[in-house]
């Protein structure tokens, strides 16, 4: 007997058991023919997740390899990630996630009726990633303390995270960060048949008081003080493709889902799904968490000088607008695609202003009937004055692209815009900044007196040696260099630069041609770039279709400038395009 099953496009996703009942000669027999899975189908035109572009389906559903973008907006770094949605057992884990999270949105899961709606499914998955009180998939370390778990940046893929959660009785895996949370969600959504991708937003504001403003406070030495607001250097979230029946959408479009719990003023929570187009248009009442998502790409940055008498003064500075660079992996390419235009119109354009006015009136009900001019005046009063308003232009320009162990070289450019002399005293400092905007140790300070003649331009070289920043960098590879003027000499001026310290590369070289179920060898090499020993060196290898589970190699101690080479053998167990990932860790990072 040949049996074909054609589930309708509105069938609930999940695992089904197929039984056959046979009646013969007055006797009835039951036989289980097996089980099968029903998933969302982006190839089916009647399915709410239908995507009509084949290249997009291959990228956002079938591709097991992704790229996470990190760093700062002027120095974007990338690292590969294994989604692994087709690895053995992952589908069962994804359905277990729906079982554990069912009570979040519906109280009871007796009828499973919500499982045919990608909106409700995405909300449950979004909540389960890190917001569930006891059974979330992953936790974020509090106060950057992850001694009782795995370093957040040491993960290479989603599969070990999901397996550890499932095998650990659904207890949260310690620890992750926004990139791993968004990537794990992308794996789950692709596994369930929903096209998804990871998006990175640079200059991401996190404010608990003013939804459309983020404040950074500095002392007179230029040190960034820890305040209530945080300016994340980057933040990752997930986008999923679906037609929103609740919004009367007949065609699919990208919906924003942020699984990272963020402080909103009423506690921490994940966000979404939010229609990306509604964010661009400022239609905040249209969707879930629209005001949160709008503020994350449209907030204004304000820098303050805190003086000894607790008085705060606004700096003259040229602030980079929040949310001005949103990127994701390009379709069929290793390069990134700039999708900022999907979230907001061009800065300063008429449509951009109209969307901002519309959103401002919804976020601040007291301005519901205010004119556009009134809102403009209010916004102008909150912003920093430009450096040019003080008669000075300044910027910090990188003279090199420093690798771990190398000195940081900068050029400090100053220009006097007036026809008179300028005598200024500046305090300079550098400190470590986490990706989430938390200021760490201040490790370098200096002060300098500068005289600028009329219309004079000066270039001052700055150097921060590895011996100065190395002991403080640890797992955080971002530092902030700041120059602030002495307020007693006139206006408070500030210029700053976020600097990424690149980590040394791990080189992977295949020594034989990979073939299915035939042993293959690869050479993994790494060179210690420091003039000191690296202790507790560990290499972690991972690859979908290559390793059933991550392989860890203990390298011990690497002497200064020593190169470590190791040969590994693996047997490809699945056809397809595979990628071998190698991650190096030591007591330094």
């Amino acid at each position: 007997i040949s049996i074909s099953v054609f589930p309708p496009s509105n069938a609930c996703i999940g695992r089904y058991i197929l039984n056959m009942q046979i009646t013969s000669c007055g006797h009835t027999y039951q036989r289980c023919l097996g089980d099968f899975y029903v998933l969302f189908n982006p190839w089916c035109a009647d399915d709410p997740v239908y995507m009509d572009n084949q290249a997009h389906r291959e990228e956002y559903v079938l591709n097991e390899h992704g790229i996470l973008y990190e760093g700062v907006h002027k120095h974007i770094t990338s690292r590969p990630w294994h989604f692994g949605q087709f690895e053995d057992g992952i589908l069962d884990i994804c359905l277990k996630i729906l079982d554990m999270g069912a009570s979040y949105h519906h109280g009871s899961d007796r009828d499973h009726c919500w499982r045919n709606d990608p909106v409700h499914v995405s909300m449950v998955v979004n909540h389960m990633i890190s917001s569930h009180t006891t059974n979330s998939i992953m936790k974020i370390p509090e106060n950057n303390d992850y001694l009782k778990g795995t370093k957040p940046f040491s993960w290479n893929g989603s599969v070990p995270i999901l397996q550890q959660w499932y095998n650990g009785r659904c207890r949260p895996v310690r620890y992750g960060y926004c990139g791993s949370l968004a990537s794990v969600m992308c794996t789950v959504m692709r596994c369930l048949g929903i096209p998804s991708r990871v998006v990175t937003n640079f200059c991401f504001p996190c404010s608990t008081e003013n939804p459309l403003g983020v404040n950074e406070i500095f002392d007179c030495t230029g040190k960034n003080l820890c305040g209530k607001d945080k300016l994340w250097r980057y933040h990752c979230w997930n986008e999923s493709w679906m037609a929103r029946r609740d919004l009367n959408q007949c065609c699919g479009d990208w919906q924003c889902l942020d699984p990272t719990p963020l402080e909103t003023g009423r506690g921490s929570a994940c966000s979404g799904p939010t229609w990306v187009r509604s964010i661009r248009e400022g239609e905040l009442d249209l969707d879930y968490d629209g005001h949160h998502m709008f503020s994350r790409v449209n907030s204004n940055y304000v820098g303050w000088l805190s003086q000894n008498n607790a008085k705060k003064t606004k700096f003259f500075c040229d602030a980079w607008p929040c949310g001005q660079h949103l990127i994701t992996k390009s379709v069929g390419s290793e390069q990134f695609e700039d999708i900022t235009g999907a979230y907001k119109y061009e800065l300063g354009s008429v449509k951009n202003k109209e969307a901002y006015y519309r959103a401002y009136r919804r976020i601040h009900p007291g301005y519901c009937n205010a004119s556009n001019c009134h809102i403009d005046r209010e916004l102008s009063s909150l912003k920093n004055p430009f450096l040019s308003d003080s008669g000075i232009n300044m910027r910090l320009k990188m003279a090199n692209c420093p690798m771990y162990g190398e000195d940081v070289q900068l050029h400090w450019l100053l220009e006097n815009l007036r026809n008179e002399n300028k005598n200024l005293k500046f305090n300079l400092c550098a400190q470590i900044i986490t990706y989430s905007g938390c200021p760490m140790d201040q490790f370098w300070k200096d002060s300098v007196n500068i005289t600028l003649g009329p219309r004079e331009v000066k270039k001052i070289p700055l150097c921060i040696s590895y011996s100065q920043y190395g002991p403080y960098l640890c797992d955080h590879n971002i530092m902030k260099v700041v120059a602030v003027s002495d307020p007693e000499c006139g206006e408070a001026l500030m210029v700053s630069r976020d600097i990424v310290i690149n980590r040394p590369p791990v080189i992977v070289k295949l020594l034989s041609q990979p073939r299915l179920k035939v042993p293959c060898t690869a050479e993994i090499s790494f060179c210690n770039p420091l003039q000191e020993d690296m202790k507790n060196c560990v290499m972690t290898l991972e690859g979908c279709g290559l390793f059933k589970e991550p392989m860890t190699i203990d390298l011990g101690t690497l002497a200064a400038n020593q190169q470590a080479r190791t040969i590994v053998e693996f047997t490809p167990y699945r056809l397809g395009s595979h990628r071998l990932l190698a991650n190096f860790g030591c007591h330094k990072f």
Side-chain angles (χ1 to χ4, degrees), residues 197-254:
R197 62 188 185 184
V198 177
V199 173
T200 301
N201 175 20
F202 293 93
C203 295
F204 173 83
C206 188
S207 175
T208 59
E209 295 179 351
N210 181 5
L212 291 174
V214 59
N215 300 290
E216 275 197 323
I217 304 172
F218 301 82
D219 66 14
C220 60
T221 69
K223 182 180 180 180
N224 190 340
L225 304 177
C226 188
K228 294 181 180 180
D229 295 353
K230 298 288 186 297
L231 182 65
W232 291 37
R233 271 47 195 173
Y234 65 89
H235 180 58
C236 301
W237 61 63
N238 193 80
E239 278 186 0
S240 294
W241 181 274
M242 63 189 76
R244 298 286 299 277
R245 308 302 192 205
D246 56 324
L247 300 181
N248 297 319
Q249 294 177 5
C250 58
C251 299
D253 206 344
W254 289 114

Coordinates of all heavy atoms in Angstrom, one line a residue, residues 197-254:
R197 N 16.8 35.5 9.4 CA 18.2 36.0 9.3 C 18.6 36.8 10.6 O 17.7 37.3 11.3 CB 18.4 36.8 8.1 CG 17.6 38.1 8.0 CD 17.7 38.8 6.7 NE 16.9 40.0 6.6 CZ 16.8 40.8 5.5 NH1 17.4 40.4 4.4 NH2 16.2 41.9 5.6
V198 N 19.9 36.9 10.8 CA 20.4 37.7 11.9 C 20.8 39.1 11.4 O 21.5 39.2 10.4 CB 21.6 37.0 12.6 CG1 22.1 37.8 13.8 CG2 21.2 35.6 13.1
V199 N 20.4 40.1 12.2 CA 20.7 41.5 11.8 C 21.5 42.1 12.9 O 21.3 41.8 14.1 CB 19.3 42.3 11.7 CG1 19.6 43.8 11.5 CG2 18.6 41.8 10.5
T200 N 22.5 42.9 12.6 CA 23.3 43.7 13.5 C 23.0 45.2 13.4 O 23.1 45.7 12.3 CB 24.8 43.4 13.3 OG1 25.0 42.0 13.5 CG2 25.6 44.2 14.4
N201 N 22.8 45.8 14.5 CA 22.5 47.3 14.5 C 23.7 47.9 15.3 O 24.0 47.5 16.4 CB 21.2 47.6 15.2 CG 21.0 49.1 15.4 OD1 21.6 49.9 14.7 ND2 20.1 49.4 16.3
F202 N 24.4 48.8 14.7 CA 25.5 49.5 15.3 C 25.0 50.8 16.0 O 24.2 51.5 15.4 CB 26.7 49.8 14.3 CG 27.3 48.5 13.9 CD1 26.9 47.9 12.7 CD2 28.3 47.9 14.6 CE1 27.5 46.7 12.3 CE2 28.9 46.8 14.2 CZ 28.5 46.2 13.0
C203 N 25.7 51.2 17.1 CA 25.2 52.3 17.9 C 23.8 52.1 18.4 O 22.8 52.8 17.9 CB 25.4 53.7 17.2 SG 27.0 54.1 16.8
F204 N 23.6 51.2 19.3 CA 22.3 50.7 19.7 C 22.0 51.3 21.1 O 22.7 51.0 22.1 CB 22.3 49.2 19.8 CG 21.0 48.6 20.4 CD1 19.9 48.4 19.6 CD2 21.0 48.2 21.7 CE1 18.7 47.9 20.2 CE2 19.9 47.7 22.3 CZ 18.7 47.5 21.5
P205 N 21.0 52.2 21.2 CA 20.7 52.8 22.5 C 19.9 51.9 23.5 O 19.0 51.3 23.0 CB 20.0 54.1 22.1 CG 19.2 53.7 20.9 CD 20.1 52.7 20.2
C206 N 20.2 52.0 24.7 CA 19.4 51.3 25.7 C 19.2 52.3 26.9 O 20.0 52.5 27.7 CB 20.1 50.0 26.2 SG 19.1 49.0 27.3
S207 N 18.0 52.9 26.9 CA 17.6 53.9 27.9 C 16.4 53.5 28.6 O 15.4 53.0 28.1 CB 17.4 55.2 27.2 OG 17.0 56.2 28.1
T208 N 16.4 53.7 29.9 CA 15.3 53.4 30.8 C 14.4 54.6 31.0 O 13.3 54.4 31.6 CB 15.8 52.9 32.1 OG1 16.6 53.9 32.8 CG2 16.6 51.6 32.0
E209 N 14.8 55.8 30.7 CA 14.0 56.9 31.0 C 13.4 57.6 29.8 O 12.2 57.6 29.6 CB 14.8 57.9 31.8 CG 15.2 57.4 33.2 CD 16.1 58.4 34.0 OE1 16.5 59.4 33.4 OE2 16.3 58.1 35.2
N210 N 14.3 58.1 28.9 CA 13.8 58.8 27.7 C 13.9 57.8 26.5 O 15.0 57.4 26.1 CB 14.7 60.0 27.4 CG 14.3 60.8 26.2 OD1 13.2 60.4 25.6 ND2 15.0 61.8 25.8
P211 N 12.8 57.4 26.0 CA 12.8 56.4 24.9 C 13.6 56.8 23.7 O 14.1 56.0 22.9 CB 11.3 56.1 24.6 CG 10.6 56.7 25.8 CD 11.4 57.8 26.3
L212 N 13.6 58.2 23.5 CA 14.3 58.7 22.2 C 15.6 59.4 22.5 O 16.0 60.3 21.7 CB 13.3 59.6 21.5 CG 12.1 58.8 20.8 CD1 11.1 59.8 20.2 CD2 12.6 57.9 19.8
G213 N 16.2 59.1 23.6 CA 17.5 59.7 24.0 C 18.3 58.8 24.8 O 17.8 58.1 25.7
V214 N 19.6 58.8 24.6 CA 20.5 58.0 25.4 C 21.7 58.9 25.9 O 22.2 59.7 25.1 CB 21.0 56.8 24.6 CG1 21.8 57.2 23.4 CG2 22.0 55.9 25.5
N215 N 22.0 58.9 27.1 CA 23.0 59.8 27.7 C 24.3 59.0 28.1 O 24.2 58.0 28.7 CB 22.4 60.5 29.0 CG 21.2 61.3 28.7 OD1 21.3 62.3 28.1 ND2 20.0 60.8 29.2
E216 N 25.4 59.6 27.8 CA 26.7 59.1 28.3 C 27.3 60.3 29.1 O 27.4 61.4 28.6 CB 27.6 58.7 27.1 CG 27.3 57.3 26.6 CD 28.5 56.7 25.8 OE1 29.1 57.5 25.0 OE2 28.8 55.5 25.9
I217 N 27.9 59.9 30.2 CA 28.4 60.9 31.2 C 29.9 60.7 31.3 O 30.3 59.5 31.5 CB 27.7 60.8 32.5 CG1 26.2 61.0 32.3 CG2 28.2 61.9 33.5 CD1 25.4 60.7 33.6
F218 N 30.7 61.7 31.3 CA 32.1 61.7 31.4 C 32.6 62.6 32.5 O 31.9 63.6 32.7 CB 32.8 62.1 30.1 CG 32.4 61.2 28.9 CD1 31.2 61.5 28.2 CD2 33.2 60.2 28.5 CE1 30.9 60.7 27.1 CE2 32.9 59.4 27.4 CZ 31.7 59.7 26.7
D219 N 33.7 62.3 33.1 CA 34.3 63.2 34.1 C 35.3 64.1 33.4 O 35.5 64.0 32.2 CB 34.9 62.5 35.3 CG 36.1 61.6 35.0 OD1 36.6 61.7 33.8 OD2 36.5 60.8 35.8
C220 N 36.0 64.9 34.1 CA 36.9 65.9 33.5 C 38.2 65.3 32.9 O 38.9 65.9 32.2 CB 37.3 67.0 34.5 SG 38.1 66.3 36.0
T221 N 38.4 64.0 33.3 CA 39.6 63.3 32.7 C 39.2 62.6 31.4 O 40.1 62.1 30.7 CB 40.1 62.2 33.6 OG1 39.2 61.2 33.8 CG2 40.4 62.9 35.0
G222 N 37.9 62.6 31.1 CA 37.4 61.9 29.9 C 36.9 60.5 30.2 O 36.5 59.7 29.3
K223 N 36.9 60.1 31.4 CA 36.5 58.7 31.8 C 35.0 58.6 31.6 O 34.2 59.5 32.1 CB 36.9 58.4 33.2 CG 36.5 57.0 33.7 CD 36.9 56.8 35.1 CE 36.5 55.4 35.6 NZ 36.9 55.1 37.0
N224 N 34.5 57.5 31.0 CA 33.1 57.3 30.8 C 32.6 56.7 32.1 O 33.0 55.6 32.6 CB 32.9 56.3 29.7 CG 31.5 56.1 29.3 OD1 30.6 56.4 30.0 ND2 31.3 55.6 28.1
L225 N 31.6 57.4 32.7 CA 31.0 57.0 34.0 C 29.9 56.1 33.7 O 29.1 56.2 32.8 CB 30.6 58.2 34.8 CG 31.7 59.2 35.1 CD1 31.1 60.4 35.8 CD2 32.9 58.6 35.8
C226 N 29.6 55.1 34.7 CA 28.6 54.2 34.5 C 27.2 54.8 34.9 O 27.0 55.1 36.1 CB 28.9 52.9 35.3 SG 27.7 51.6 35.1
G227 N 26.4 55.1 34.0 CA 25.1 55.7 34.3 C 24.0 54.7 34.0 O 24.2 53.5 33.7
K228 N 22.7 55.2 34.0 CA 21.6 54.3 33.8 C 21.5 53.9 32.3 O 21.1 52.8 32.0 CB 20.3 55.0 34.2 CG 20.2 55.2 35.7 CD 18.9 55.9 36.1 CE 18.7 56.2 37.6 NZ 17.4 56.8 37.9
D229 N 21.8 54.8 31.4 CA 21.7 54.5 30.0 C 23.0 53.9 29.5 O 24.1 54.0 30.0 CB 21.6 55.8 29.2 CG 20.2 56.5 29.5 OD1 19.4 55.9 30.2 OD2 20.0 57.6 29.0
K230 N 22.8 53.1 28.5 CA 24.0 52.4 27.8 C 23.9 52.6 26.3 O 22.8 52.5 25.7 CB 24.0 50.9 28.2 CG 24.1 50.6 29.6 CD 25.5 50.9 30.1 CE 25.7 50.4 31.5 NZ 24.9 51.1 32.5
L231 N 25.0 52.8 25.7 CA 25.1 52.9 24.2 C 25.8 51.6 23.8 O 27.1 51.6 23.8 CB 25.8 54.2 23.7 CG 25.9 54.3 22.2 CD1 24.5 54.4 21.6 CD2 26.7 55.5 21.8
W232 N 25.1 50.6 23.4 CA 25.7 49.4 22.9 C 26.5 49.7 21.6 O 26.0 50.3 20.7 CB 24.6 48.3 22.7 CG 24.0 47.8 23.9 CD1 23.6 48.5 25.0 CD2 23.5 46.5 24.2 NE1 23.0 47.7 25.9 CE2 22.9 46.5 25.4 CE3 23.6 45.3 23.4 CZ2 22.4 45.3 26.0 CZ3 23.1 44.1 24.0 CH2 22.5 44.2 25.3
R233 N 27.7 49.1 21.5 CA 28.4 49.3 20.3 C 27.8 48.6 19.1 O 27.8 49.0 18.0 CB 29.9 48.8 20.5 CG 30.8 49.9 21.0 CD 30.2 50.7 22.2 NE 30.9 52.0 22.5 CZ 30.5 52.8 23.4 NH1 29.4 52.6 24.0 NH2 31.2 53.9 23.6
Y234 N 27.2 47.4 19.4 CA 26.4 46.7 18.4 C 25.4 45.9 19.2 O 25.5 45.5 20.3 CB 27.2 45.9 17.5 CG 28.0 44.7 18.2 CD1 27.4 43.5 18.3 CD2 29.2 44.9 18.7 CE1 28.0 42.4 18.9 CE2 29.9 43.9 19.3 CZ 29.3 42.6 19.4 OH 29.9 41.6 20.1
H235 N 24.3 45.5 18.5 CA 23.3 44.6 19.0 C 22.7 43.8 17.9 O 22.4 44.3 16.8 CB 22.2 45.4 19.7 CG 21.1 44.6 20.3 ND1 21.4 43.6 21.3 CD2 19.8 44.5 20.1 CE1 20.3 43.0 21.6 NE2 19.3 43.5 20.9
C236 N 22.5 42.5 18.2 CA 22.0 41.5 17.2 C 20.6 41.1 17.5 O 20.3 40.9 18.7 CB 22.9 40.3 17.1 SG 24.6 40.6 16.7
W237 N 19.8 41.0 16.5 CA 18.4 40.5 16.7 C 18.1 39.6 15.5 O 18.9 39.4 14.6 CB 17.4 41.6 16.9 CG 17.2 42.6 15.9 CD1 16.7 42.4 14.6 CD2 17.4 44.0 16.0 NE1 16.6 43.6 13.9 CE2 17.0 44.6 14.8 CE3 17.8 44.8 17.1 CZ2 17.1 46.0 14.6 CZ3 17.9 46.2 16.8 CH2 17.6 46.8 15.6
N238 N 16.9 39.1 15.4 CA 16.4 38.2 14.4 C 15.3 38.8 13.5 O 14.5 39.6 14.1 CB 15.9 36.9 15.0 CG 15.7 35.8 14.0 OD1 16.7 35.1 13.7 ND2 14.5 35.6 13.6
E239 N 15.3 38.6 12.3 CA 14.2 38.9 11.4 C 13.6 37.6 10.8 O 14.4 36.7 10.4 CB 14.7 39.8 10.2 CG 14.8 41.3 10.6 CD 15.1 42.1 9.4 OE1 15.2 41.6 8.2 OE2 15.3 43.3 9.5
S240 N 12.3 37.5 10.8 CA 11.7 36.3 10.2 C 10.6 36.8 9.2 O 10.0 37.9 9.3 CB 11.0 35.5 11.3 OG 12.0 34.9 12.1
W241 N 10.4 36.0 8.1 CA 9.6 36.3 7.0 C 8.2 35.7 7.2 O 8.1 34.4 7.3 CB 10.2 35.9 5.7 CG 9.5 36.2 4.5 CD1 8.5 35.5 3.9 CD2 9.6 37.4 3.6 NE1 8.0 36.1 2.8 CE2 8.7 37.3 2.6 CE3 10.4 38.5 3.7 CZ2 8.5 38.2 1.6 CZ3 10.3 39.5 2.7 CH2 9.4 39.3 1.7
M242 N 7.1 36.4 7.2 CA 5.8 35.9 7.3 C 4.8 36.9 6.9 O 5.0 38.1 6.9 CB 5.5 35.4 8.7 CG 5.6 36.5 9.8 SD 5.5 35.8 11.5 CE 7.2 35.3 11.7
A243 N 3.6 36.5 6.5 CA 2.5 37.3 6.2 C 1.7 37.5 7.5 O 1.3 36.4 8.2 CB 1.6 36.8 5.1
R244 N 1.5 38.7 8.0 CA 0.8 38.9 9.2 C -0.7 39.0 9.0 O -1.2 40.0 8.6 CB 1.3 40.2 9.8 CG 2.8 40.2 10.2 CD 3.1 39.4 11.4 NE 2.4 40.0 12.6 CZ 2.8 41.0 13.3 NH1 4.0 41.5 13.0 NH2 2.1 41.4 14.3
R245 N -1.4 37.9 9.3 CA -2.8 37.9 9.1 C -3.5 38.8 10.1 O -4.5 39.4 9.9 CB -3.4 36.5 9.4 CG -2.8 35.4 8.5 CD -2.9 35.6 7.0 NE -2.5 34.4 6.3 CZ -2.0 34.4 5.0 NH1 -1.9 35.6 4.4 NH2 -1.7 33.3 4.4
D246 N -2.8 39.0 11.3 CA -3.4 39.9 12.3 C -3.3 41.4 11.9 O -4.0 42.3 12.4 CB -2.7 39.7 13.7 CG -1.2 39.9 13.5 OD1 -0.6 39.5 12.5 OD2 -0.6 40.4 14.5
L247 N -2.5 41.7 10.9 CA -2.3 43.0 10.3 C -2.9 43.1 8.9 O -2.7 44.1 8.2 CB -0.9 43.5 10.3 CG -0.1 43.5 11.6 CD1 1.3 44.0 11.4 CD2 -0.9 44.4 12.6
N248 N -3.7 42.0 8.5 CA -4.3 42.0 7.2 C -3.3 42.0 6.1 O -3.6 42.6 5.0 CB -5.4 43.1 7.1 CG -6.5 43.0 8.1 OD1 -7.0 41.9 8.3 ND2 -6.9 44.1 8.6
Q249 N -2.2 41.4 6.3 CA -1.2 41.4 5.2 C -1.5 40.1 4.4 O -1.7 39.0 4.9 CB 0.2 41.3 5.8 CG 0.7 42.5 6.5 CD 2.1 42.3 7.1 OE1 2.8 41.2 6.9 NE2 2.6 43.2 7.9
C250 N -1.5 40.3 3.1 CA -1.7 39.2 2.1 C -0.4 38.6 1.7 O -0.4 37.5 1.2 CB -2.5 39.7 1.0 SG -1.8 41.0 0.0
C251 N 0.7 39.4 1.8 CA 2.0 38.9 1.3 C 3.0 38.9 2.5 O 2.9 39.7 3.4 CB 2.6 39.7 0.2 SG 1.5 39.7 -1.3
G252 N 4.0 38.1 2.4 CA 5.0 38.0 3.5 C 5.9 39.3 3.5 O 6.1 39.9 2.5
D253 N 6.5 39.5 4.6 CA 7.5 40.6 4.8 C 8.3 40.3 6.1 O 7.9 39.5 6.9 CB 6.7 42.0 4.9 CG 7.6 43.1 4.4 OD1 8.8 42.9 4.3 OD2 7.1 44.2 4.2
W254 N 9.4 41.1 6.2 CA 10.3 40.9 7.4 C 9.6 41.4 8.6 O 9.1 42.5 8.7 CB 11.6 41.5 7.1 CG 12.4 40.8 6.1 CD1 12.8 41.3 4.9 CD2 13.0 39.5 6.2 NE1 13.6 40.4 4.2 CE2 13.7 39.3 4.9 CE3 13.0 38.5 7.1 CZ2 14.3 38.1 4.7 CZ3 13.6 37.3 6.9 CH2 14.3 37.1 5.7

